[in-house]
Amino acid sequence: MSKILVCVKRVVDFNVRIRVKPDGSGVVTDGVKMSINPFDEIALEEALRIKERGAAQEVIAVSIGPADAQQQLRTALAMGADRAVLVQVEAAPEPLSAARILLALIEREQPQIVILGKQAIDDDNNQTGQMLAALWNRPQATFASKMELADGRARVTREVDAGLETIEVDLPAVFTTDLRLNEPRYVKLPDIMKAKKKPLDTLKPDALGVAPVDTLKVVRCDPPPQRQRGIMVKDTQELVAALKKKGLLS
Amino acid sequence: MTRVLIVAEHDGNELNPSTARCVTCARTLPQAEVAVAVLAADGGAVCQQAAALSGVDRVLRVDDAANAHALAATWAPQVAALSKGFTHVFGPSTTFGKDLMPRVAALLGAPQLSDIMAVEGAQRFRRPIYAGNAILTVEVPAGKQLVATVRVASFEAAPEGGSAAIETIALSVALPTHTRFISVSSDAADRPDLQAARRVISGGRAFGSAEKFNLLYSLADKLGAAVGASRAAVDAGYAPNDLQVGQTGKIIAPELYIAIGISGAIQHLTGIKDARTIVAINKDADAPIFEVADIGLVGDLFTILPEFEQLIGNKA
Ligand SMILES: Cc1cc2nc3c(=O)[nH]c(=O)nc-3n(C[C@H](O)[C@H](O)[C@H](O)COP(=O)(O)OP(=O)(O)OC[C@H]3O[C@@H](n4cnc5c(N)ncnc54)[C@H](O)[C@@H]3O)c2cc1C
Ligand SMILES: Nc1ncnc2c1ncn2[C@@H]1O[C@H](COP(=O)(O)O)[C@@H](O)[C@H]1O
């Protein structure tokens, strides 16, 4: 049976206005709306479509995080994942530790396809999928905007700085999603009810034989320098004059 | 002693300017010795360009037919092998470096720091998180090898004027065959590079069609500017993906950025925070883009654009 593993990180919702704590210890997350990382929603949608086309039989959603991450896994189940696994830790670990945990899960589940987001919009690291592929010694197809599967291979279009790159990888492989891969479906109410009955396992990293360590020490968290609001001009002529005054037009 | 290895980004002929920016970042580390690794099918020309950068001490040339395209799975084991003895391994925070460097880090068992925006010491760096809405100061434990990507918009390109020695290196690393390059396509090949351009004009959803988005190009030509776009404009198919500016697109730092019909969502603003001057043209006086604009003009872009183009004539 061919399985797809999808990673789902719990992050501050992309619409929330981020505030840095006055003591510089981090950003305010208490009482803030949390969601599935948007790129992971895209990853899950892609997995569901692959399953719906008959190219896989089971979609497993995985999260590494606090107990509250069960909420995001329930949403993933409501979207259509068949079951979910929460690897429970106090706080999401660094990418290398996350990749080690995911590798241990891969060894248990033996998926053909593993899909992650290209980046988590909280830490903006853009590392975990690539690290996982390296540890697993399998191909990576990052920043995917199109995935075509056939004959144990995948042809992937990737969004790169130069434009669009196409590569081919042998399965099993790791994929990371870019924004234009698909548009995730909305969750319907009956699906939320059904999701309550789907299996959601919780386990600790040591059950997988992994001890997550954070190597990098966060010294401080600061708000960014603010740009000042400038001047308003009333018409195009004034705009051109203002640009000339700044030496930006001759 | 700080020994930095920079993985060169190039297209087989030309060194990408992102590499010179990594050199500047590496140079700000105390007592740094800087080496640039050039992996290529035939790295001759690129090695010359890397050796000519001021601040580069050595260039490591690794030629292999398998290196004709920058496939992370193929390059990472080679970079990992080259990394022995280096305290820091840097790549640019472009799609090239973002794809490759974490794979290198995992092979080395080293942590990675993404998007270095400032150096506070050999073990201490600053980087943005939450789309640039918070800045972390992070410390790497002493004695720990560090892999990092350099936020290219935060560093000037190192000038020419160097004359580093070029060492040819033969690696005996088994390379995978599970990943194959097929093709790359680019719509914007003959236009100024968005990440290097001194002037950028970007369009948003307001343009309404790919046809109308083309209005931007003739203005851009007059200004010698590169063209950018918001995610909404790319999603709608008005502009190709490589024009997207923002948290998940390109982070740029031009002298002049003109945002036209772009609302100014935080994800977009992340990409332009380092622009010297921001100009916003939007019909909604309350659009958030005006909060960060140095010069704002409220009005209909379809009226303003032709006027603007006419006023600057051909002498911009
Ligand atoms: C995970 C994630 C990542 C994202 N990454 C990015 C990213 O990298 N880059 C990015 O840009 N966005 C990104 N976004 C999307 C972002 O949140 C916004 O949706 C997007 O930037 C909006 O694009 P826009 O300003 O073109 O469109 P809109 O927000 O719709 O704004 C259009 C603007 O045009 C103005 N307008 C309309 N008609 C006219 C006219 N005739 N003349 C003048 N003005 C007019 C309107 O007043 C409005 O302000 C991301 C979102 C998510 C969730
Ligand atoms: N704690 C986590 N739980 C589940 N998935 C994760 C976690 N951390 C990272 N990922 C996955 O890795 C992707 C990239 O994350 P990052 O490397 O942190 O930017 C995310 O989009 C997720 O798919």
Side-chain angles (χ1 to χ4, degrees):
Chain A
M1 185 170 87
S2 172
K3 299 181 190 175
I4 307 179
L5 199 72
V6 178
C7 296
V8 172
K9 189 177 183 189
R10 170 185 166 90
V11 298
V12 173
D13 187 84
F14 80 97
N15 266 318
V16 170
R17 203 170 252 263
I18 299 298
R19 281 178 303 130
V20 173
K21 290 183 194 160
D23 68 0
S25 63
V27 308
V28 177
T29 51
D30 285 349
V32 160
K33 182 179 179 207
M34 305 295 283
S35 299
I36 296 182
N37 183 43
F39 290 97
D40 300 352
E41 261 188 335
I42 296 171
L44 178 55
E45 176 64 36
E46 196 65 19
L48 296 173
R49 291 184 190 186
I50 294 168
K51 183 186 155 185
E52 285 158 5
R53 287 199 301 267
Q57 283 72 50
E58 189 179 36
V59 174
I60 309 163
V62 179
S63 194
I64 309 164
D68 286 342
Q70 285 181 11
Q71 293 161 14
Q72 281 65 43
L73 287 174
R74 284 286 167 213
T75 307
L77 292 169
M79 269 180 78
D82 297 293
R83 60 191 170 90
V85 179
L86 173 65
V87 180
Q88 199 180 329
V89 291
E90 260 170 54
E94 275 175 13
L96 189 55
S97 287
R100 287 184 173 133
I101 290 170
L102 294 170
L103 178 68
L105 280 171
I106 284 175
E107 280 159 1
R108 259 168 63 148
E109 303 285 354
Q110 304 284 324
Q112 282 294 102
I113 296 171
V114 180
I115 316 181
L116 297 83
K118 82 164 174 182
Q119 80 197 60
I121 61 158
D122 50 2
D123 60 35
D124 282 335
N125 274 322
N126 196 332
Q127 299 176 13
T128 310
Q130 297 89 313
M131 287 179 161
L132 175 61
L135 298 178
W136 193 18
N137 200 12
R138 291 304 308 164
Q140 68 188 48
T142 54
F143 326 147
S145 67
K146 193 171 170 200
M147 287 172 59
E148 293 165 297
L149 304 170
D151 308 324
R153 292 195 292 266
R155 192 171 270 238
V156 178
T157 305
R158 308 177 53 234
E159 294 205 0
V160 295
D161 288 341
L164 294 171
E165 182 189 79
T166 305
I167 62 169
E168 189 183 73
V169 297
D170 296 335
L171 299 181
V174 174
F175 303 83
T176 79
T177 61
D178 217 314
L179 294 169
R180 281 165 284 274
L181 182 60
N182 60 50
E183 252 184 76
R185 66 195 64 189
Y186 288 102
V187 172
K188 292 183 234 70
L189 199 58
D191 297 328
I192 297 175
M193 303 312 291
K194 261 191 267 167
K196 290 189 176 146
K197 295 197 198 82
K198 289 185 180 175
L200 192 167
D201 291 336
T202 297
L203 47 91
K204 293 277 166 64
D206 54 11
L208 295 167
V210 185
V213 276
D214 280 354
T215 320
L216 302 175
K217 188 173 142 230
V218 173
V219 180
R220 224 176 43 246
C221 183
D222 297 306
Q226 292 299 321
R227 281 189 84 104
Q228 296 303 313
R229 183 187 255 276
I231 57 161
M232 296 300 286
V233 293
K234 71 170 197 313
D235 58 26
T236 315
Q237 247 162 8
E238 273 193 19
L239 171 61
V240 170
L243 285 170
K244 285 188 176 158
K245 199 165 147 227
K246 281 181 172 276
L248 290 165
L249 281 183
S250 52
Chain B
M1 186 76 190
T2 309
R3 303 186 67 220
V4 189
L5 179 68
I6 295 169
V7 187
E9 175 172 9
H10 62 86
D11 63 5
N13 301 309
E14 301 262 348
L15 191 63
N16 189 291
S18 65
T19 305
R21 292 170 185 262
C22 290
V23 170
T24 301
C25 174
R27 271 286 141 208
T28 56
L29 296 175
Q31 288 150 12
E33 189 189 292
V34 177
V36 175
V38 176
L39 280 69
D42 172 2
V46 176
C47 284
Q48 295 292 344
Q49 294 160 41
L53 290 177
S54 165
V56 174
D57 300 304
R58 296 157 65 205
V59 174
L60 311 182
R61 174 175 179 176
V62 184
D63 280 1
D64 191 316
N67 291 341
H69 300 286
L71 294 170
T74 307
W75 283 36
Q78 300 175 71
V79 175
L82 290 171
S83 299
K84 287 207 182 64
F86 287 94
T87 54
H88 300 69
V89 185
F90 285 2
S93 188
T94 55
T95 52
F96 159 78
K98 288 174 178 172
D99 185 42
L100 174 64
M101 300 313 287
R103 190 154 183 133
V104 172
L107 294 178
L108 295 171
Q112 175 174 311
L113 201 69
S114 296
D115 308 314
I116 292 178
M117 60 185 290
V119 174
E120 295 198 337
Q123 311 298 126
R124 198 164 158 144
F125 303 89
R126 284 158 71 79
R127 65 171 299 257
I129 55 171
Y130 286 96
N133 285 296
I135 310 294
L136 279 190
T137 304
V138 179
E139 227 166 59
V140 191
K144 187 93 196 158
Q145 193 177 36
L146 179 72
V147 174
T149 59
V150 174
R151 184 175 182 275
V152 286
S154 299
F155 298 89
E156 298 284 336
E160 290 192 359
S163 56
I166 301 172
E167 301 162 32
T168 301
I169 298 196
L171 291 172
S172 52
V173 180
L175 301 180
T177 54
H178 53 47
T179 305
R180 294 167 293 275
F181 173 85
I182 305 288
S183 65
V184 66
S185 71
S186 175
D187 286 346
D190 51 347
R191 301 207 54 84
D193 175 19
L194 188 53
Q195 272 155 315
R198 288 167 51 231
R199 294 168 171 178
V200 175
I201 56 175
S202 282
R205 194 197 311 269
F207 280 81
S209 72
E211 213 168 49
K212 289 181 185 153
F213 194 87
N214 284 337
L215 289 172
L216 271 185
Y217 290 100
S218 75
L219 178 59
D221 287 342
K222 286 201 174 151
L223 289 169
V227 173
S230 71
R231 173 189 172 182
V234 177
D235 282 1
Y238 309 161
N241 67 284
D242 46 302
L243 298 196
Q244 183 175 315
V245 171
Q247 179 185 18
T248 51
K250 289 177 181 166
I251 312 273
I252 56 174
E255 275 170 25
L256 175 62
Y257 185 77
I258 308 182
I260 305 173
I262 292 179
S263 60
I266 48 171
Q267 293 88 3
H268 187 80
L269 299 183
T270 310
I272 59 169
K273 279 195 174 140
D274 295 314
R276 190 91 48 84
T277 299
I278 296 176
V279 174
I281 299 170
N282 195 302
K283 71 174 182 193
D284 174 9
D286 294 325
I289 189 78
F290 289 122
E291 287 165 32
V292 300
D294 300 282
I295 306 174
L297 173 56
V298 177
D300 188 328
L301 76 91
F302 295 110
T303 319
I304 294 167
L305 271 191
E307 285 175 5
F308 191 45
E309 206 175 316
Q310 209 196 353
L311 282 167
I312 58 174
N314 290 316
K315 52 185 169 45

